[in-house]
Amino acid sequence: VVSTQSTGNTNLRSIVMSSEPPPSLAFSTVIAPLLERFQKDQAKSLRESFVYAEKQNPGFIHDFVAGVIQNEDMTEILLRLGSTECTEYLISQHIELHAQLNRKAQTLRHLLSSIPDQIKERSIFLQTIKDIAQSIKDLLNCVNGFYQSNTNNPAVTQNKRLFDHQKKNFVRCSKAFSDSLRNFFKDNQPSIVFLSANKLITQTNVLMRTIKIITERHS
């Protein structure tokens, strides 16, 4: 459970808007892991530059990475890299519930990132779909458990609107992923599934980052 110390009526939306990594799978799977290899000050400066460039020119990071990985299917590549662990979205694990959130989010990312290798084998893919559906349910239950265990914590309750907003976006992306699967079984085009899976991983990261801010900046 998050500490109940309050820092006042701080609105985390302003923090999210000013300091958040962009909701880009290219950032979380390629740029962020590379930044971890630099010294702290250098990484901070580079990170700020990428975040600023993305905010000024949405899609910059995707185009930047695409320029390096030429003549390849970026959507599929990013999906394959989607389970790459990124500290930007890891919650401090000193509390078991936080560790559970990390594990369940990573399980979902791993299942989604396995789609390109399994989508051609129908029986295997059908099982993967079932596993993904269960993983989505497990993560949502854990997210709800996080909120319920912190109903007396001002750091959480003051930001319920932001928390609910990101959770609803996650549910919306989950439904869009289900729709993409139905379309795939009609037209057998995997690209829409890859794109939808990427969006679901991205929203998983955004949701986890929101919880991370609440737990660590207001602990």
Side-chain angles (χ1 to χ4, degrees), residues 44-122:
K44 183 175 183 294
S45 178
L46 287 169
R47 180 188 184 282
E48 290 174 349
S49 296
F50 274 109
V51 170
Y52 177 80
E54 180 70 20
K55 287 181 178 179
Q56 295 299 311
N57 301 280
F60 168 81
I61 294 178
H62 183 280
D63 293 343
F64 176 85
V65 174
V68 177
I69 309 174
Q70 296 184 3
N71 300 321
E72 298 288 350
D73 184 345
M74 272 286 289
T75 302
E76 181 177 340
I77 288 174
L78 291 178
L79 181 55
R80 289 180 179 275
L81 294 172
S83 61
T84 304
E85 286 198 352
C86 177
T87 56
E88 296 271 2
Y89 312 109
L90 280 176
I91 305 170
S92 176
Q93 303 193 68
H94 65 285
I95 295 174
E96 174 57 25
L97 181 56
H98 298 177
Q100 288 181 26
L101 280 166
N102 287 331
R103 289 195 297 268
K104 293 185 184 303
Q106 184 59 18
T107 295
L108 177 57
R109 296 187 193 103
H110 176 74
L111 288 167
L112 290 167
S113 69
S114 72
I115 288 176
D117 288 328
Q118 299 181 357
I119 197 168
K120 295 179 181 179
E121 296 290 339
R122 185 179 179 89

Coordinates of all heavy atoms in Angstrom, one line a residue, residues 44-122:
K44 N 19.7 11.4 -18.9 CA 18.7 12.4 -18.6 C 18.6 13.5 -19.7 O 17.5 13.8 -20.1 CB 18.9 13.1 -17.2 CG 17.9 14.1 -16.8 CD 18.2 14.6 -15.4 CE 17.1 15.5 -14.9 NZ 17.0 16.8 -15.7
S45 N 19.7 14.0 -20.1 CA 19.7 15.0 -21.2 C 19.2 14.4 -22.5 O 18.4 15.1 -23.1 CB 21.2 15.5 -21.4 OG 21.2 16.5 -22.4
L46 N 19.6 13.2 -22.8 CA 19.1 12.6 -24.1 C 17.6 12.3 -24.0 O 16.9 12.5 -25.0 CB 19.9 11.3 -24.4 CG 21.4 11.5 -24.8 CD1 22.1 10.2 -24.8 CD2 21.4 12.1 -26.2
R47 N 17.2 11.8 -22.8 CA 15.8 11.5 -22.7 C 15.0 12.7 -22.9 O 13.9 12.7 -23.5 CB 15.6 10.9 -21.3 CG 14.1 10.6 -21.0 CD 14.0 10.2 -19.5 NE 12.6 9.8 -19.2 CZ 11.6 10.6 -19.0 NH1 11.7 11.9 -19.1 NH2 10.4 10.1 -18.7
E48 N 15.4 13.8 -22.2 CA 14.6 15.1 -22.3 C 14.6 15.6 -23.8 O 13.5 16.1 -24.2 CB 15.3 16.2 -21.4 CG 15.1 15.9 -20.0 CD 15.8 16.9 -19.1 OE1 16.7 17.6 -19.7 OE2 15.6 16.9 -17.9
S49 N 15.6 15.3 -24.5 CA 15.7 15.8 -25.9 C 14.7 14.9 -26.8 O 13.9 15.5 -27.6 CB 17.1 15.6 -26.5 OG 18.0 16.4 -25.8
F50 N 14.6 13.6 -26.5 CA 13.7 12.8 -27.3 C 12.3 13.1 -26.9 O 11.4 13.2 -27.8 CB 14.0 11.3 -27.0 CG 15.0 10.7 -27.9 CD1 16.3 10.4 -27.4 CD2 14.8 10.5 -29.2 CE1 17.3 9.8 -28.2 CE2 15.8 10.0 -30.1 CZ 17.0 9.6 -29.5
V51 N 12.0 13.3 -25.6 CA 10.6 13.6 -25.2 C 10.2 15.0 -25.8 O 9.1 15.1 -26.3 CB 10.6 13.7 -23.6 CG1 9.2 14.3 -23.2 CG2 10.8 12.3 -23.0
Y52 N 11.1 16.0 -25.8 CA 10.8 17.3 -26.3 C 10.5 17.2 -27.8 O 9.5 17.7 -28.3 CB 11.9 18.2 -26.1 CG 11.7 19.6 -26.7 CD1 10.8 20.5 -26.0 CD2 12.3 20.0 -27.9 CE1 10.6 21.8 -26.6 CE2 12.0 21.2 -28.5 CZ 11.2 22.1 -27.8 OH 11.0 23.3 -28.4
A53 N 11.4 16.4 -28.5 CA 11.2 16.3 -30.0 C 9.9 15.6 -30.3 O 9.2 16.0 -31.3 CB 12.4 15.5 -30.6
E54 N 9.5 14.6 -29.5 CA 8.3 13.9 -29.8 C 7.1 14.7 -29.5 O 6.1 14.7 -30.3 CB 8.2 12.6 -28.9 CG 7.0 11.8 -29.1 CD 6.9 11.0 -30.4 OE1 8.0 10.9 -31.0 OE2 5.8 10.6 -30.8
K55 N 7.1 15.6 -28.5 CA 6.0 16.5 -28.2 C 5.8 17.5 -29.3 O 4.7 17.9 -29.6 CB 6.2 17.1 -26.8 CG 6.0 16.1 -25.7 CD 6.1 16.8 -24.3 CE 5.8 15.8 -23.2 NZ 6.0 16.4 -21.9
Q56 N 7.0 18.0 -29.8 CA 6.9 19.0 -30.9 C 6.5 18.4 -32.2 O 5.9 19.1 -33.0 CB 8.3 19.7 -31.0 CG 8.7 20.5 -29.7 CD 7.7 21.6 -29.4 OE1 7.3 22.4 -30.3 NE2 7.3 21.7 -28.1
N57 N 7.0 17.2 -32.4 CA 6.7 16.5 -33.7 C 6.2 15.1 -33.4 O 7.1 14.1 -33.5 CB 8.0 16.5 -34.6 CG 8.5 17.9 -34.9 OD1 8.0 18.6 -35.8 ND2 9.5 18.3 -34.1
P58 N 5.0 14.9 -33.1 CA 4.5 13.5 -32.8 C 4.8 12.5 -33.9 O 4.6 12.8 -35.1 CB 3.0 13.7 -32.7 CG 2.8 15.1 -32.3 CD 3.9 15.9 -33.0
G59 N 5.4 11.4 -33.5 CA 5.8 10.4 -34.4 C 7.3 10.5 -34.7 O 7.9 9.6 -35.4
F60 N 8.0 11.5 -34.1 CA 9.4 11.6 -34.4 C 10.2 10.4 -34.0 O 11.1 9.9 -34.8 CB 10.0 12.8 -33.6 CG 11.5 12.9 -33.6 CD1 12.2 13.4 -34.6 CD2 12.2 12.5 -32.5 CE1 13.6 13.5 -34.6 CE2 13.6 12.5 -32.4 CZ 14.3 13.0 -33.5
I61 N 10.0 9.8 -32.8 CA 10.8 8.7 -32.3 C 10.6 7.5 -33.2 O 11.5 6.8 -33.6 CB 10.4 8.4 -30.9 CG1 10.9 9.5 -30.0 CG2 11.1 7.1 -30.4 CD1 10.6 9.3 -28.5
H62 N 9.3 7.3 -33.6 CA 9.1 6.1 -34.5 C 9.8 6.3 -35.8 O 10.5 5.4 -36.3 CB 7.6 6.0 -34.8 CG 7.2 4.9 -35.7 ND1 7.3 4.9 -37.1 CD2 6.7 3.7 -35.4 CE1 6.9 3.8 -37.6 NE2 6.5 3.0 -36.6
D63 N 9.8 7.5 -36.4 CA 10.5 7.8 -37.6 C 12.0 7.7 -37.5 O 12.7 7.3 -38.4 CB 10.1 9.2 -38.2 CG 8.6 9.3 -38.6 OD1 8.0 8.2 -38.8 OD2 8.1 10.4 -38.7
F64 N 12.5 8.2 -36.3 CA 13.9 8.1 -36.0 C 14.4 6.7 -36.0 O 15.4 6.3 -36.7 CB 14.2 8.8 -34.7 CG 15.6 8.7 -34.2 CD1 16.6 9.6 -34.7 CD2 16.1 7.7 -33.4 CE1 17.9 9.5 -34.3 CE2 17.4 7.6 -33.0 CZ 18.3 8.5 -33.4
V65 N 13.7 5.8 -35.3 CA 14.1 4.4 -35.3 C 13.9 3.7 -36.6 O 14.7 2.9 -37.1 CB 13.2 3.6 -34.2 CG1 13.5 2.1 -34.2 CG2 13.5 4.2 -32.8
A66 N 12.8 4.1 -37.3 CA 12.6 3.5 -38.7 C 13.7 3.9 -39.6 O 14.1 3.2 -40.5 CB 11.3 4.0 -39.2
G67 N 14.3 5.1 -39.4 CA 15.4 5.5 -40.2 C 16.7 4.7 -40.0 O 17.5 4.5 -40.9
V68 N 16.8 4.2 -38.8 CA 17.9 3.3 -38.5 C 17.7 1.9 -39.0 O 18.6 1.3 -39.5 CB 18.2 3.3 -36.9 CG1 19.3 2.4 -36.6 CG2 18.5 4.7 -36.4
I69 N 16.4 1.4 -38.8 CA 16.1 0.1 -39.2 C 15.4 0.2 -40.5 O 14.1 0.2 -40.6 CB 15.1 -0.6 -38.2 CG1 15.7 -0.5 -36.8 CG2 14.9 -2.1 -38.6 CD1 14.8 -1.0 -35.7
Q70 N 16.1 0.3 -41.6 CA 15.6 0.6 -42.9 C 15.1 -0.7 -43.6 O 15.6 -1.8 -43.3 CB 16.6 1.3 -43.8 CG 17.0 2.7 -43.3 CD 18.0 3.4 -44.2 OE1 18.3 2.9 -45.3 NE2 18.4 4.5 -43.8
N71 N 14.1 -0.5 -44.4 CA 13.5 -1.6 -45.2 C 13.1 -2.8 -44.4 O 13.2 -4.0 -44.8 CB 14.6 -2.1 -46.2 CG 15.1 -1.0 -47.1 OD1 14.3 -0.2 -47.6 ND2 16.4 -1.0 -47.4
E72 N 12.5 -2.5 -43.2 CA 12.0 -3.5 -42.4 C 10.6 -3.1 -42.0 O 10.2 -2.0 -42.0 CB 12.8 -3.7 -41.1 CG 14.3 -4.2 -41.4 CD 14.3 -5.6 -41.9 OE1 13.3 -6.3 -41.8 OE2 15.4 -6.1 -42.3
D73 N 9.8 -4.1 -41.5 CA 8.4 -3.9 -41.1 C 8.5 -3.4 -39.6 O 8.6 -4.2 -38.7 CB 7.6 -5.1 -41.2 CG 6.1 -4.9 -40.8 OD1 5.8 -3.9 -40.2 OD2 5.3 -5.8 -41.1
M74 N 8.4 -2.1 -39.4 CA 8.6 -1.5 -38.1 C 7.5 -2.0 -37.1 O 7.8 -2.3 -35.9 CB 8.5 0.0 -38.2 CG 9.8 0.7 -38.4 SD 10.9 0.6 -36.9 CE 10.0 1.8 -35.9
T75 N 6.3 -2.2 -37.6 CA 5.2 -2.6 -36.7 C 5.5 -4.0 -36.1 O 5.4 -4.2 -34.9 CB 3.9 -2.7 -37.5 OG1 3.6 -1.4 -38.0 CG2 2.7 -3.1 -36.6
E76 N 6.0 -4.9 -37.0 CA 6.3 -6.3 -36.5 C 7.5 -6.2 -35.6 O 7.6 -6.9 -34.6 CB 6.5 -7.2 -37.7 CG 6.8 -8.6 -37.2 CD 7.0 -9.6 -38.4 OE1 6.5 -9.3 -39.5 OE2 7.6 -10.7 -38.2
I77 N 8.5 -5.5 -36.0 CA 9.8 -5.4 -35.2 C 9.5 -4.9 -33.8 O 9.9 -5.4 -32.8 CB 10.8 -4.5 -35.9 CG1 11.4 -5.2 -37.1 CG2 12.0 -4.2 -34.9 CD1 12.3 -4.4 -38.0
L78 N 8.7 -3.8 -33.7 CA 8.4 -3.2 -32.4 C 7.6 -4.2 -31.6 O 7.7 -4.2 -30.3 CB 7.7 -1.9 -32.6 CG 8.5 -0.7 -33.2 CD1 7.7 0.5 -33.3 CD2 9.7 -0.5 -32.3
L79 N 6.7 -4.9 -32.2 CA 5.9 -5.9 -31.5 C 6.8 -7.0 -30.9 O 6.6 -7.4 -29.8 CB 4.8 -6.5 -32.4 CG 3.9 -7.5 -31.7 CD1 3.2 -6.9 -30.5 CD2 2.8 -8.0 -32.7
R80 N 7.7 -7.5 -31.7 CA 8.6 -8.5 -31.2 C 9.5 -8.0 -30.0 O 9.8 -8.8 -29.2 CB 9.5 -9.0 -32.4 CG 8.8 -9.8 -33.4 CD 9.8 -10.2 -34.5 NE 9.2 -11.0 -35.6 CZ 9.0 -12.3 -35.5 NH1 9.4 -13.0 -34.4 NH2 8.4 -13.0 -36.5
L81 N 9.7 -6.7 -30.0 CA 10.5 -6.1 -28.9 C 9.6 -5.6 -27.8 O 10.1 -5.1 -26.8 CB 11.3 -4.9 -29.5 CG 12.4 -5.2 -30.5 CD1 13.0 -3.9 -31.1 CD2 13.5 -6.0 -29.9
G82 N 8.3 -5.8 -27.9 CA 7.4 -5.3 -27.0 C 7.5 -5.7 -25.5 O 7.1 -5.1 -24.6
S83 N 8.1 -6.9 -25.3 CA 8.3 -7.4 -24.0 C 9.6 -7.0 -23.3 O 9.9 -7.4 -22.2 CB 8.2 -8.9 -24.0 OG 9.3 -9.5 -24.8
T84 N 10.4 -6.1 -24.0 CA 11.6 -5.6 -23.5 C 11.3 -4.8 -22.2 O 10.5 -3.9 -22.2 CB 12.3 -4.6 -24.5 OG1 12.5 -5.3 -25.7 CG2 13.6 -4.1 -23.9
E85 N 11.9 -5.2 -21.1 CA 11.7 -4.5 -19.8 C 12.3 -3.1 -19.9 O 13.4 -2.9 -20.3 CB 12.3 -5.3 -18.7 CG 11.5 -6.5 -18.3 CD 11.8 -7.1 -16.9 OE1 12.7 -6.6 -16.3 OE2 11.1 -8.0 -16.5
C86 N 11.5 -2.2 -19.4 CA 11.9 -0.8 -19.3 C 11.6 -0.2 -18.0 O 10.5 -0.3 -17.5 CB 11.1 0.0 -20.4 SG 11.5 1.8 -20.5
T87 N 12.6 0.4 -17.3 CA 12.5 0.9 -16.0 C 11.5 2.0 -15.9 O 11.0 2.3 -14.8 CB 13.8 1.3 -15.4 OG1 14.4 2.3 -16.3 CG2 14.8 0.1 -15.2
E88 N 11.2 2.7 -17.0 CA 10.2 3.8 -17.0 C 8.9 3.3 -16.5 O 8.1 4.1 -16.0 CB 10.1 4.3 -18.5 CG 11.3 4.9 -19.1 CD 11.4 6.4 -18.8 OE1 10.5 6.9 -18.0 OE2 12.3 7.1 -19.2
Y89 N 8.6 2.0 -16.7 CA 7.3 1.5 -16.4 C 7.3 0.4 -15.3 O 6.3 -0.3 -15.1 CB 6.7 0.8 -17.7 CG 6.8 1.8 -18.9 CD1 7.6 1.5 -19.9 CD2 6.1 2.9 -18.9 CE1 7.8 2.3 -21.0 CE2 6.2 3.8 -20.0 CZ 7.0 3.5 -21.0 OH 7.2 4.4 -22.1
L90 N 8.4 0.3 -14.6 CA 8.5 -0.6 -13.5 C 8.2 0.1 -12.2 O 8.8 1.1 -11.8 CB 9.9 -1.2 -13.4 CG 10.2 -2.4 -14.3 CD1 11.7 -2.8 -14.2 CD2 9.3 -3.6 -14.1
I91 N 7.3 -0.4 -11.4 CA 6.9 0.1 -10.1 C 7.8 -0.4 -9.1 O 8.2 -1.6 -9.1 CB 5.4 -0.2 -9.8 CG1 4.5 0.3 -10.9 CG2 5.0 0.5 -8.5 CD1 3.1 -0.2 -10.7
S92 N 8.2 0.4 -8.1 CA 9.0 -0.1 -7.0 C 8.4 -1.3 -6.4 O 7.2 -1.3 -6.1 CB 9.1 1.0 -5.9 OG 9.8 0.5 -4.8
Q93 N 9.2 -2.4 -6.2 CA 8.6 -3.7 -5.8 C 8.7 -4.0 -4.3 O 8.7 -5.1 -3.9 CB 9.3 -4.8 -6.6 CG 9.2 -4.6 -8.2 CD 9.6 -5.8 -8.9 OE1 8.9 -6.8 -8.9 NE2 10.7 -5.7 -9.7
H94 N 8.9 -3.0 -3.5 CA 9.1 -3.2 -2.1 C 7.8 -3.7 -1.5 O 7.7 -4.1 -0.3 CB 9.6 -2.0 -1.4 CG 8.8 -0.8 -1.4 ND1 8.6 0.0 -2.5 CD2 8.0 -0.3 -0.4 CE1 7.7 0.9 -2.2 NE2 7.4 0.8 -0.9
I95 N 6.7 -3.5 -2.2 CA 5.3 -4.0 -1.8 C 4.9 -5.0 -2.7 O 5.0 -4.9 -3.9 CB 4.3 -2.8 -1.7 CG1 4.8 -1.8 -0.7 CG2 2.9 -3.3 -1.5 CD1 3.9 -0.5 -0.7
E96 N 4.4 -6.1 -2.2 CA 4.0 -7.3 -3.0 C 3.0 -7.0 -4.1 O 3.1 -7.4 -5.2 CB 3.5 -8.4 -2.1 CG 3.0 -9.6 -2.9 CD 4.0 -10.3 -3.8 OE1 5.2 -10.1 -3.6 OE2 3.6 -10.9 -4.8
L97 N 2.0 -6.1 -3.8 CA 1.0 -5.8 -4.8 C 1.7 -5.1 -6.0 O 1.3 -5.3 -7.1 CB -0.1 -4.9 -4.2 CG -1.2 -4.4 -5.1 CD1 -1.9 -5.7 -5.7 CD2 -2.2 -3.6 -4.4
H98 N 2.7 -4.2 -5.7 CA 3.4 -3.6 -6.8 C 4.2 -4.6 -7.7 O 4.2 -4.5 -8.9 CB 4.4 -2.5 -6.2 CG 3.7 -1.4 -5.5 ND1 4.4 -0.4 -4.8 CD2 2.4 -1.2 -5.2 CE1 3.6 0.4 -4.2 NE2 2.3 -0.1 -4.5
A99 N 4.8 -5.6 -7.0 CA 5.5 -6.6 -7.7 C 4.5 -7.4 -8.6 O 4.9 -7.8 -9.7 CB 6.2 -7.5 -6.7
Q100 N 3.3 -7.7 -8.1 CA 2.3 -8.4 -8.9 C 2.0 -7.6 -10.1 O 1.8 -8.2 -11.2 CB 1.1 -8.7 -8.0 CG 1.3 -9.7 -6.9 CD 0.0 -9.9 -6.1 OE1 -1.1 -9.7 -6.6 NE2 0.2 -10.4 -4.9
L101 N 1.8 -6.3 -9.9 CA 1.4 -5.4 -11.1 C 2.5 -5.5 -12.2 O 2.2 -5.7 -13.4 CB 1.3 -4.0 -10.6 CG -0.1 -3.6 -10.0 CD1 0.1 -2.3 -9.3 CD2 -1.2 -3.6 -11.1
N102 N 3.8 -5.5 -11.7 CA 4.9 -5.6 -12.7 C 4.9 -6.9 -13.4 O 5.0 -7.0 -14.6 CB 6.2 -5.4 -12.0 CG 6.5 -4.0 -11.6 OD1 6.1 -3.0 -12.2 ND2 7.2 -3.8 -10.5
R103 N 4.7 -8.0 -12.6 CA 4.7 -9.3 -13.3 C 3.5 -9.5 -14.2 O 3.7 -10.1 -15.3 CB 4.6 -10.4 -12.2 CG 5.9 -10.5 -11.3 CD 5.9 -11.8 -10.5 NE 4.8 -11.9 -9.6 CZ 4.9 -11.5 -8.3 NH1 6.0 -11.0 -7.9 NH2 3.8 -11.6 -7.5
K104 N 2.4 -9.1 -13.9 CA 1.2 -9.3 -14.7 C 1.3 -8.4 -16.0 O 0.9 -8.9 -17.1 CB -0.1 -9.0 -13.9 CG -0.3 -10.1 -12.8 CD -1.6 -9.9 -12.1 CE -1.8 -10.9 -11.0 NZ -1.6 -12.3 -11.4
A105 N 1.8 -7.2 -15.8 CA 2.0 -6.4 -17.0 C 3.0 -7.0 -18.0 O 2.8 -7.0 -19.2 CB 2.4 -5.0 -16.6
Q106 N 4.1 -7.5 -17.4 CA 5.1 -8.1 -18.2 C 4.6 -9.4 -18.9 O 5.0 -9.7 -20.0 CB 6.4 -8.4 -17.4 CG 7.6 -8.9 -18.2 CD 8.0 -8.0 -19.3 OE1 7.7 -6.8 -19.3 NE2 8.8 -8.5 -20.2
T107 N 3.8 -10.1 -18.2 CA 3.2 -11.4 -18.8 C 2.4 -11.0 -20.0 O 2.5 -11.7 -21.1 CB 2.3 -12.1 -17.8 OG1 3.2 -12.6 -16.7 CG2 1.7 -13.3 -18.4
L108 N 1.6 -9.9 -19.9 CA 0.8 -9.5 -21.0 C 1.7 -9.1 -22.2 O 1.4 -9.4 -23.4 CB -0.2 -8.4 -20.6 CG -1.0 -7.8 -21.7 CD1 -1.9 -8.9 -22.4 CD2 -1.9 -6.7 -21.2
R109 N 2.7 -8.3 -21.9 CA 3.6 -7.8 -23.0 C 4.3 -9.0 -23.7 O 4.4 -9.0 -24.9 CB 4.7 -6.9 -22.4 CG 4.2 -5.6 -21.8 CD 5.4 -4.7 -21.4 NE 5.1 -3.6 -20.5 CZ 5.3 -3.6 -19.2 NH1 5.9 -4.6 -18.6 NH2 4.9 -2.5 -18.5
H110 N 4.7 -10.0 -22.9 CA 5.4 -11.1 -23.4 C 4.4 -11.9 -24.4 O 4.8 -12.3 -25.5 CB 5.8 -12.0 -22.3 CG 6.5 -13.3 -22.8 ND1 7.7 -13.4 -23.4 CD2 6.0 -14.6 -22.8 CE1 8.0 -14.6 -23.7 NE2 7.0 -15.4 -23.4
L111 N 3.2 -12.1 -23.9 CA 2.2 -12.8 -24.8 C 2.0 -12.1 -26.1 O 1.9 -12.7 -27.2 CB 0.9 -13.1 -24.0 CG 1.0 -14.1 -22.9 CD1 -0.3 -14.0 -22.0 CD2 1.1 -15.5 -23.4
L112 N 1.8 -10.8 -26.0 CA 1.5 -10.0 -27.2 C 2.7 -10.0 -28.1 O 2.5 -10.1 -29.3 CB 1.1 -8.6 -26.8 CG -0.2 -8.4 -26.1 CD1 -0.4 -7.0 -25.5 CD2 -1.4 -8.6 -27.1
S113 N 3.9 -9.9 -27.6 CA 5.1 -9.9 -28.4 C 5.4 -11.2 -29.1 O 6.1 -11.3 -30.0 CB 6.3 -9.4 -27.6 OG 6.7 -10.4 -26.7
S114 N 4.7 -12.3 -28.6 CA 4.9 -13.6 -29.2 C 4.0 -13.8 -30.5 O 4.2 -14.8 -31.2 CB 4.7 -14.7 -28.2 OG 3.3 -14.8 -27.9
I115 N 3.1 -12.9 -30.7 CA 2.1 -13.1 -31.8 C 2.7 -13.3 -33.1 O 2.3 -14.2 -33.9 CB 1.1 -11.9 -31.8 CG1 0.2 -12.0 -30.6 CG2 0.3 -11.9 -33.1 CD1 -0.8 -10.8 -30.5
P116 N 3.8 -12.5 -33.5 CA 4.3 -12.7 -34.9 C 4.8 -14.2 -35.1 O 4.8 -14.7 -36.3 CB 5.5 -11.7 -35.0 CG 5.0 -10.6 -34.0 CD 4.4 -11.4 -32.9
D117 N 5.3 -14.8 -34.1 CA 5.8 -16.2 -34.2 C 4.7 -17.3 -34.2 O 4.9 -18.4 -34.6 CB 6.8 -16.5 -33.1 CG 8.1 -15.8 -33.3 OD1 8.5 -15.5 -34.5 OD2 8.8 -15.4 -32.3
Q118 N 3.5 -16.9 -33.7 CA 2.5 -17.9 -33.5 C 1.3 -17.7 -34.4 O 0.4 -18.6 -34.4 CB 2.1 -17.9 -32.0 CG 3.2 -18.2 -31.1 CD 2.8 -18.2 -29.6 OE1 1.7 -17.9 -29.3 NE2 3.8 -18.5 -28.7
I119 N 1.2 -16.6 -35.0 CA -0.1 -16.3 -35.7 C -0.3 -17.2 -36.9 O -1.5 -17.4 -37.3 CB -0.1 -14.8 -36.2 CG1 -1.5 -14.4 -36.5 CG2 0.9 -14.6 -37.3 CD1 -1.6 -12.8 -36.7
K120 N 0.7 -17.8 -37.4 CA 0.6 -18.7 -38.6 C 0.1 -20.1 -38.2 O -0.3 -20.9 -39.1 CB 1.9 -18.8 -39.4 CG 2.3 -17.4 -40.0 CD 3.6 -17.5 -40.7 CE 4.0 -16.2 -41.3 NZ 5.3 -16.3 -42.0
E121 N 0.3 -20.5 -37.0 CA -0.2 -21.8 -36.5 C -1.5 -21.6 -35.7 O -1.5 -21.2 -34.6 CB 0.9 -22.4 -35.6 CG 2.2 -22.7 -36.3 CD 2.1 -23.8 -37.3 OE1 1.2 -24.6 -37.2 OE2 2.9 -23.9 -38.2
R122 N -2.6 -21.9 -36.4 CA -3.9 -21.6 -35.9 C -4.1 -22.2 -34.4 O -4.6 -21.4 -33.6 CB -5.0 -22.1 -36.8 CG -6.4 -21.7 -36.4 CD -7.4 -22.2 -37.3 NE -8.8 -21.9 -36.9 CZ -9.4 -20.8 -37.3 NH1 -8.8 -19.9 -38.0 NH2 -10.6 -20.5 -36.8

